[in-house]
Amino acid sequence: MNDVVVVGAGPVGLLLAAELRLVGVGVTVIERAAARSPHSKALTLHPRTLEVLAMRGLAGPFVREGVPMPTGHYGGLPVRLDFSVLDTRFPYTLVLPQLRTEQLLEERLRELGGEIRWEHRALEVRQDADGAEVDVAGPEGTYTLRAAWVVGCDGAGSTVRSSAGIDFPGTPATVTGFLGDVVLDAPPSVPSVDNEHGGFLVVPLADGHHRIAGTTGESLTIPADQPLTFDELRGYVRQVAGTDFGMRAPRWLSRFGNASRQAARYRDGRILLAGDAAHMHMPMGGQGLNVGLQDAFNLGWKLAAACQGRAPEGLLDTYHAERHPVGAGLLENTQAQTVLGATRTADVRALRSVFGRLLAAHPAVNRQFAGELSALDVAYHPAAGKSGEAGEPGESGGAGGGHSLAGSRAPDLGLDGAPEPSLYPLLADGRFVLLHLGPGGDAGHRAADGPGAADARAAAEAIAGSPDRIRTVTARPTTAHDGWAGRSTVLVRPDGHVAWDAALSSR
């Protein structure tokens, strides 16, 4: 019997499978397509996703090949979100076609001994108390896979979700946008064009093409499944800008809608969902792929612990408790952006003007939206999962109660005296990191050897499920981050969120 069957070899399924293989979990990945699509729906990797990749030592190739952009957009507003002020080593969005992201993640999976069964389609999933079964149609006929767990990473039309009977409530598409990857002989000098006729974004790609995506009054009512022609795309752009910028050589043309839905639950017994199988929405702000990858990163270490019999009670339930609110926030902000960005009635133009002034005049507002879209502001509060009593470490790997950093994202804290120069490389093997910190001298060693050190280690082992799943490091912080001053001991989860922390004692 397999440990895990992952249905879907898109970026979410690939990262999840790689996370499981990293710690020795057996994984079978099946994919209904015969090969990867040459067309990339997504283009954007946000700062938190780059941090996720950095925690496993994977960010380098992505950063080298992508095109960094220090700003993002909210609802296509001309006033841009400033990512350069964010507290991260990656203060930008990275433009990299989804195809290349998938290729790099597949390389990672293969390095870890994983493989993909191409052209193997899930027909039905069922479960019992001990595991789940997937009926599969492959090139040589049908067969059944049995596994302890099945994860649906198979997109908005998920067979896994429908087989499990998990509701997918939400709203149908009411507006349609257009998208085209083309060559522009005279591209605009600004990243977006907007007026009463409509609006569109222009994103330069590394290979000399540009992606144009937007809406006009004419495009809004055309069904998303109706093919987009090059003449239509050129006409939409001319309608808004008065020129087509020397548009030629279309490589891919498509439409998209604003249907918004979210799975009622991300776990049903032995079946789990991640990525588009769990949430679908209008592609505003380039968030979908990023949120899906972060789903996988949250789930991976928890599912591995369950497979290996070291998961504290309730650990897997924290996946839904932590990630479902993030998905709900994703739907909310993309729906708000759709109102701002899809139509150009007089009322909407007035709203865009007001929002634009807020973003331009109030850096804190700009920072709030940038933090939301970048996912750097995601925090898992104690209520999201089982936790210890206030003042005690959490018991489940969800946030522990009573600690100022519990559940928050850990920055790539600079470290002096550690085996690595900063925190993220210490997470490369997928273990917890127990940090004993001090402002200087022997403060970190005092925390490691003090009267509370044994309790801290015992609590860490209870959360991690095994002593060998913890890496203990004593070091001095060399970078400053909000909330981290005066912390003596911090337990960082494999996904880079704080499990619990304690203040520095003067003893």
Side-chain angles (χ1 to χ4, degrees), residues 104-145:
L104 290 170
L105 290 175
E106 183 177 348
E107 289 175 14
R108 165 71 166 178
L109 177 58
R110 293 193 184 283
E111 288 171 359
L112 294 170
E115 63 176 350
I116 302 167
R117 297 185 185 181
W118 294 97
E119 210 171 353
H120 287 247
R121 179 167 58 95
L123 300 174
E124 187 178 359
V125 181
R126 55 191 171 273
Q127 63 176 312
D128 53 42
D130 300 318
E133 294 181 339
V134 186
D135 293 336
V136 183
E140 298 180 0
T142 60
Y143 62 97
T144 298
L145 285 171

Side-chain angles (χ1 to χ4, degrees), residues 261-279:
R261 299 185 180 278
Q262 184 180 22
R265 55 193 186 280
Y266 286 12
R267 179 192 177 191
D268 182 87
R270 295 280 177 166
I271 297 172
L272 301 110
L273 304 174
D276 289 352
H279 40 75

